Amino acid sequence: MTNRFISVAGATRQLAHAATGLASSRVSVRSVLTTAQHTLTVFGVSALVMIAVLYARPDLAQALSKSLLQEPAAALAVTAPPLHELMEGPANGTAAADKAMTPEEKAMMGTRKQQQWVTSWLSKRYRVAGDAADMLVSTAYLTASEIKLDPLLILAVMAIESGLNPFAESPMGAQGLMQVMSKIHHEKFQEMGGVQAALNPVANIRVGSLILKDYVTRGGSVEAGLKTYVGAAAFETDDGYGSRVLAEYRRLKQVSAGKKVPTTNPVMAAAPATTKQVEAAVAATTVAAKLPDSQLAGL
């Protein structure tokens, strides 16, 4: 009898504990639901406030819409720098172009339309991108205006020497568009940053043009200047170099006059002077002292 009484009492206690746990669980669930209700209420009120603000301020709504709809890639877009920023020349290069020119100089420089014809023809003939060709032609005309030299002669030398390749380099060390021997003419690059500027198209055109004009002035004719320029001053002939340059010059003259000139079969860059030719020129300069240093291969 006593054992039964004890068993009933234990069962009663277990039921009491279970009821207490169930009540606690109900309280916890109710607390969670109450918290969630309050949170949703706060979000709802905030949304209503935001809608009211956007309704009252259409400009803010439009700005928010643009920022949400903007593509992520647009912010990462990179604009390539213009070509002229990659080919900076001497600071005084544009000053001379503003000076008044004589009628003869104006005729030699031609019009912008004539420059465009020359640019288009050279671009097709030597397969150079239009923007790059325009920069090279513009630089040649600007340099020619400054130093008083025919721009078409400069372009003809560039075409024969390098095929308008600004990174051309010969086994003998001639570099760039006009194949300048920077080791010999290093002093001419000093104002443009030193010999490392030899492959800068603008610097190369300027220095090469100055050398060319100097040789033409000393020789008394374009033919004599070209012969010295190619390093053949100490030899009887220049292996046809001058003829090739002048032939290209005549084509450019026809192009600048508006005539249709074929662009096929471009003239290859001039072959560099042979080792024997260079050694002979150096020997003639060093031993006999009959030729000044500047008469060594210009480019």
Side-chain angles (χ1 to χ4, degrees), residues 128-231:
V128 178
D131 289 344
D134 181 65
M135 175 59 66
L136 298 181
V137 171
S138 298
T139 302
Y141 272 81
L142 180 64
T143 302
S145 174
E146 180 182 353
I147 69 174
K148 311 304 179 186
L149 188 65
D150 193 328
L152 299 182
L153 179 61
I154 296 174
L155 290 170
V157 170
M158 288 167 52
I160 300 304
E161 286 286 351
S162 65
L164 303 188
N165 177 8
F167 304 110
E169 187 166 358
S170 75
M172 301 305 299
Q175 296 177 301
L177 290 161
M178 299 190 72
Q179 292 291 277
V180 178
M181 294 289 289
S182 57
K183 293 182 180 179
I184 295 177
H185 302 287
H186 55 87
E187 74 284 351
K188 293 182 175 64
F189 285 103
Q190 292 307 311
E191 64 178 17
M192 285 166 279
V195 294
Q196 60 268 25
L199 293 179
N200 179 310
V202 174
N204 193 280
I205 291 173
R206 178 176 173 80
V207 172
S209 299
L210 289 171
I211 296 170
L212 178 61
K213 181 181 180 181
D214 182 40
Y215 289 168
V216 170
T217 302
R218 292 189 193 187
S221 68
V222 173
E223 292 81 357
L226 291 173
K227 186 178 179 183
T228 303
Y229 191 85
V230 78

Side-chain angles (χ1 to χ4, degrees), residues 6-290:
I6 294 173
S7 297
V8 171
T12 303
R13 284 196 298 271
Q14 290 179 356
L15 290 173
H17 285 305
T20 304
L22 181 60
S24 300
S25 298
R26 288 180 179 178
V27 172
S28 299
V29 171
R30 184 178 298 174
S31 299
V32 171
L33 292 176
T34 302
T35 302
Q37 184 179 7
H38 290 167
T39 302
L40 291 175
T41 301
V42 171
F43 278 117
V45 173
S46 301
L48 290 175
V49 173
M50 180 64 70
I51 292 173
V53 171
L54 294 177
Y55 181 79
R57 294 286 303 275
D59 55 331
L60 294 179
Q62 187 176 5
L64 180 61
S65 176
K66 287 182 178 180
S67 63
L68 292 176
L69 296 177
Q70 185 176 7
E71 296 181 1
L76 301 177
V78 179
T79 303
L83 187 61
H84 69 272
E85 291 184 2
L86 303 178
M87 298 173 60
E88 296 180 355
N92 62 350
T94 58
D98 296 330
K99 295 181 180 179
M101 293 187 294
T102 65
E104 292 77 11
E105 291 172 348
K106 289 182 179 179
M108 181 178 66
M109 294 303 296
T111 64
R112 180 58 185 167
K113 186 64 176 178
Q114 290 175 315
Q115 291 187 35
Q116 291 174 350
W117 289 338
V118 170
T119 299
S120 177
W121 188 80
L122 287 173
S123 176
K124 294 175 182 177
R125 183 168 172 80
Y126 293 95
R127 299 180 181 180
V128 178
D131 289 344
D134 181 65
M135 175 59 66
L136 298 181
V137 171
S138 298
T139 302
Y141 272 81
L142 180 64
T143 302
S145 174
E146 180 182 353
I147 69 174
K148 311 304 179 186
L149 188 65
D150 193 328
L152 299 182
L153 179 61
I154 296 174
L155 290 170
V157 170
M158 288 167 52
I160 300 304
E161 286 286 351
S162 65
L164 303 188
N165 177 8
F167 304 110
E169 187 166 358
S170 75
M172 301 305 299
Q175 296 177 301
L177 290 161
M178 299 190 72
Q179 292 291 277
V180 178
M181 294 289 289
S182 57
K183 293 182 180 179
I184 295 177
H185 302 287
H186 55 87
E187 74 284 351
K188 293 182 175 64
F189 285 103
Q190 292 307 311
E191 64 178 17
M192 285 166 279
V195 294
Q196 60 268 25
L199 293 179
N200 179 310
V202 174
N204 193 280
I205 291 173
R206 178 176 173 80
V207 172
S209 299
L210 289 171
I211 296 170
L212 178 61
K213 181 181 180 181
D214 182 40
Y215 289 168
V216 170
T217 302
R218 292 189 193 187
S221 68
V222 173
E223 292 81 357
L226 291 173
K227 186 178 179 183
T228 303
Y229 191 85
V230 78
F235 305 95
E236 294 183 1
T237 66
D238 59 5
D239 292 331
Y241 171 81
S243 298
R244 293 194 298 274
V245 171
L246 293 177
E248 195 73 352
Y249 171 79
R250 286 190 290 270
R251 294 186 190 97
L252 289 170
K253 289 287 285 186
Q254 292 175 345
V255 170
S256 67
K259 297 180 180 180
K260 300 294 183 182
V261 180
T263 60
T264 55
N265 300 324
V267 180
M268 300 302 292
T274 64
T275 303
K276 290 184 178 180
Q277 287 178 324
V278 174
E279 289 177 350
V282 173
T285 303
T286 306
V287 179
K290 294 181 179 180

